[in-house]
Amino acid sequence: MWCSVINGASIMQDGDLGIYKPAESTTSRHLPCNHELCSLGSGCANPKQPCPYNIDYLSENTTSSGLLIEDTLHLNSREGHVPVNASVIIGCGRKQSGGYLDGIAPDGLLGLGMADISVPSFLARAGLVPNSFSMCFKQDDSGRIFFGDQGVSAQQSTPFVPLYGKIQTYVVNVSKSCIGRVCLEDTSFQALVDSGTSFTFLPQEIYKTVTMEFDKQITASRVSIEDKTFEYCYTASPLEMPNVPTIMLTFAGNKSFQAVNPILPFDQQGALAWFCLAVLPSDSIGIIAQNFLVGYHVVFDRENMKLGWYRSECHDVDNSTTVPLGPSQHNSPEDPLPSNEQTSPAVTSAVAGTAPPSSGSTNLQKLLASSYPLLLLMMSTVFFIS
């Protein structure tokens, strides 16, 4: 998890950002280089110096670097439970590059992976919640994250499976793919479940089989558009939207997952003009991305190493209360670091940090190069604890 620390002009001049300022926090302190979670500690001149971090993401030239801070994350609770204060490690992002300069994460990034330094790992180790979290996306792309949520008894589920011999991220096995009433032969594949990727990826051969069957069943004319991101696009109008065949993924035990809305509409002069099948080919494993997760409550149960899901309109999102954000009670010094450490000597970062564990293959790197980092979420999200 890292937050932007703005030095000089902001890349989001018109954005209403909630910039994290450690110097204004009475509970923040630098993480020393000799801490067990300081991966670059060997490059420090003094073990008590602030720990640097440097993350090199798989998206081209996209990095974040700065110093690690330990501070308290304030979490609201559902159903009237007492709010929780949790100690977490936060990266103070002093320098971002690549996609981050284009504003894809103006406030920062919330790490939800399986590593020890991620927020769910901190909460579980502290005994605050079960080692699980869930999220629910509405059609307008709003949503919530619920830490500690293990879902409902009626939900479907499938186990996480190893990637390169080890369960290290949220990968599942898809046993078959169905378009409409047609279930296609030889369409099994592995997929990373990643809410931080906008559009779903299918392995190249699976992509060809699925899209050709989709094109065969849809009652609309293909259209060629200038933007070649999506291969299968079709004419439409506000008065006539053709029937779109369903896309169903089946997992072990005949557990099914139907994409609620796999298409992406495009307007022209304020009116619907065409739509595209929002699925892309990959050279490696697939990615079940945010566009397929919309309309579901999705549970990442790390305690039982399984993915759960059930259809949801995310009404609990509408009924939830939020934590009010009040003005700071402190002055705002120019150097946004903990007040007791603003004079700490600078630390030279070691070589670039490692990419996520799933980057063990060149093909997978190419696949993820066009997607956002794993489970990337804007920091304006409000968190709840179950």
Side-chain angles (χ1 to χ4, degrees):
M1 174 182 179
W2 59 263
C3 299
S4 296
V5 174
I6 303 298
N7 293 319
S10 169
I11 59 172
M12 298 288 287
Q13 295 289 350
D14 298 327
D16 183 15
L17 303 183
I19 301 300
Y20 171 63
K21 299 178 180 179
E24 298 184 7
S25 171
T26 59
T27 54
S28 67
R29 66 182 185 89
H30 274 297
L31 196 77
C33 286
N34 61 359
H35 193 280
E36 61 180 351
L37 294 179
C38 181
S39 61
L40 299 183
S42 60
C44 298
N46 186 317
K48 298 297 184 182
Q49 285 182 271
C51 175
Y53 81 89
N54 191 327
I55 304 175
D56 187 0
Y57 291 100
L58 297 180
S59 299
E60 186 176 2
N61 298 322
T62 298
T63 65
S64 175
S65 61
L67 300 175
L68 293 182
I69 300 290
E70 186 174 8
D71 208 341
T72 301
L73 188 64
H74 303 278
L75 299 167
N76 202 6
S77 62
R78 293 193 293 181
E79 302 170 357
H81 295 159
V82 177
V84 171
N85 300 326
S87 178
V88 297
I89 291 177
I90 304 168
C92 281
R94 288 183 156 187
K95 183 179 180 181
Q96 278 66 248
S97 66
Y100 294 129
L101 297 182
D102 298 327
I104 63 171
D107 277 0
L109 182 145
L110 179 68
L112 298 174
M114 292 186 178
D116 288 341
I117 204 168
S118 73
V119 172
S121 298
F122 278 113
L123 298 179
R125 282 200 307 275
L128 297 173
V129 294
N131 192 8
S132 181
F133 68 92
S134 68
M135 55 181 64
C136 193
F137 290 110
K138 297 174 67 176
Q139 291 285 352
D140 64 0
D141 295 328
S142 65
R144 290 291 187 272
I145 303 175
F146 301 94
F147 293 114
D149 181 24
Q150 293 179 298
V152 297
S153 59
Q155 71 189 19
Q156 299 192 76
S157 64
T158 192
F160 296 128
V161 297
L163 182 67
Y164 311 121
K166 181 181 179 182
I167 296 180
Q168 53 193 338
T169 188
Y170 307 115
V171 174
V172 294
N173 279 333
V174 177
S175 58
K176 63 181 176 181
S177 309
C178 302
I179 307 299
R181 294 173 180 260
V182 178
C183 289
L184 304 164
E185 297 291 333
D186 301 321
T187 52
S188 62
F189 62 96
Q190 282 194 329
L192 172 69
V193 183
D194 183 8
S195 68
T197 301
S198 297
F199 304 112
T200 293
F201 285 76
L202 298 176
Q204 188 73 47
E205 292 303 315
I206 309 297
Y207 170 83
K208 290 179 182 178
T209 303
V210 167
T211 53
M212 288 177 64
E213 182 63 31
F214 181 92
D215 186 58
K216 177 182 176 181
Q217 292 188 27
I218 196 167
T219 57
S221 302
R222 289 276 295 274
V223 62
S224 178
I225 58 177
E226 185 176 345
D227 185 344
K228 303 297 183 182
T229 301
F230 300 110
E231 183 179 3
Y232 288 87
C233 298
Y234 304 88
T235 57
S237 73
L239 301 177
E240 184 179 5
M241 183 67 184
N243 291 327
V244 177
T246 59
I247 297 181
M248 180 89 72
L249 303 179
T250 303
F251 303 93
N254 207 32
K255 304 296 178 63
S256 61
F257 185 102
Q258 179 181 322
V260 174
N261 192 7
I263 64 171
L264 183 67
F266 290 86
D267 292 349
Q268 195 169 53
Q269 297 179 345
L272 177 65
W274 68 87
F275 65 91
C276 298
L277 175 60
V279 175
L280 298 166
S282 78
D283 294 327
S284 185
I285 67 171
I287 296 181
I288 299 174
Q290 182 181 345
N291 67 324
F292 272 35
L293 301 179
V294 169
Y296 283 93
H297 200 114
V298 183
V299 180
F300 296 82
D301 189 343
R302 298 135 54 98
E303 193 168 285
N304 298 297
M305 284 298 175
K306 64 182 181 179
L307 178 78
W309 67 92
Y310 58 94
R311 287 291 297 270
S312 174
E313 298 298 326
C314 302
H315 291 308
D316 50 1
V317 172
D318 298 323
N319 297 332
S320 298
T321 57
T322 59
V323 179
L325 299 177
S328 171
Q329 301 300 312
H330 304 273
N331 294 326
S332 300
E334 291 184 3
D335 187 359
L337 292 174
S339 55
N340 63 336
E341 307 221 18
Q342 287 182 9
T343 58
S344 298
V347 178
T348 303
S349 299
V351 293
T354 57
S358 57
S359 61
S361 109
T362 302
N363 286 337
L364 184 58
Q365 291 181 16
K366 292 178 180 177
L367 165 66
L368 297 181
S370 59
S371 65
Y372 297 159
L374 179 64
L375 290 166
L376 174 141
L377 296 160
M378 298 305 177
M379 295 306 296
S380 56
T381 306
V382 177
F383 308 114
F384 295 80
I385 209 151
S386 294

